[in-house]
Amino acid sequence: MESSEKPKSSLRFFIELVEIVLIAFALSWVLRTYVIEARKIPTGSMLPTIQLEDRVIVDKFFFKRFDHINHGDIIVFHPPPSAHATDDYIKRVVGLAGDKVEIRNKITYLNDQRLNEPYLLEKPNNDFGPIVVPNDSVFVMGDNRNNSADSREWGFLPVENITGRTLFRYWPLGEIGALAR
């Protein structure tokens, strides 16, 4: 009688193990796709705020449902076709719909007010604008202004292309915390 119980319990254990693995995989897929995602930074366009190879946590759900994009937010997005890129970008939001953005004499102006940008690696080399951000779009730039492919190059970013907003850096361990705004 014991021999017939053993195969049943072994089979039951295997089935439960498979169920647990499938549920864990499905939950992690849903969380990563729709809620929160860990990202590794592939370029230096956000230096010095985010270093090459840093890892950040990206909110993909809550900012869309309960909040909105603000000036200074660091976002992850699908670049527009004019960027000729396939990988997601990470940049800082400088202008929102209706804002006037201009770079003049190495200083960024937002709605004719000098923008305080202590996070910049260096001041931009070239003047830009003025331009007004259209509805349902944002204007983004990297903190490493002279080495960043951004809205100055490929135009406005449609809000629908935004996939998430960075919450904080989690790697390297000595740099854990919120990113400069």
Side-chain angles (χ1 to χ4, degrees), residues 65-169:
R65 305 296 188 270
F66 307 109
D67 203 356
H68 55 277
I69 297 297
N70 298 302
H71 294 105
D73 284 348
I74 299 173
I75 60 171
V76 175
F77 57 91
H78 303 304
S82 55
H84 305 291
T86 55
D87 293 335
D88 285 354
Y89 282 6
I90 184 167
K91 306 285 180 198
R92 186 178 300 275
V93 175
V94 175
L96 301 172
D99 284 342
K100 178 181 167 186
V101 179
E102 180 178 13
I103 299 174
R104 184 175 67 238
N105 300 321
K106 300 185 177 194
I107 305 294
T108 305
Y109 291 87
L110 181 64
N111 300 319
D112 297 318
Q113 298 294 313
R114 183 182 180 145
L115 199 56
N116 180 28
E117 298 181 295
Y119 43 75
L120 291 184
L121 181 64
E122 58 189 3
K123 293 184 177 190
N125 288 335
N126 301 317
D127 287 350
F128 177 84
I131 52 93
V132 176
V133 182
N135 288 335
D136 299 320
S137 297
V138 295
F139 188 88
V140 297
M141 290 193 280
D143 291 354
N144 185 358
R145 297 280 160 87
N146 297 318
N147 294 294
S148 175
D150 52 39
S151 287
R152 294 170 296 167
E153 181 180 316
W154 39 256
F156 303 108
L157 175 69
V159 170
E160 66 190 23
N161 287 32
I162 300 171
T163 58
R165 177 175 51 196
T166 59
L167 294 175
F168 62 91
R169 175 184 13 240

Side-chain angles (χ1 to χ4, degrees), residues 10-23:
S10 295
L11 180 60
R12 183 177 310 164
F13 172 77
F14 179 73
I15 290 171
E16 288 176 0
L17 181 63
V18 168
E19 287 175 347
I20 290 170
V21 169
L22 290 175
I23 290 170

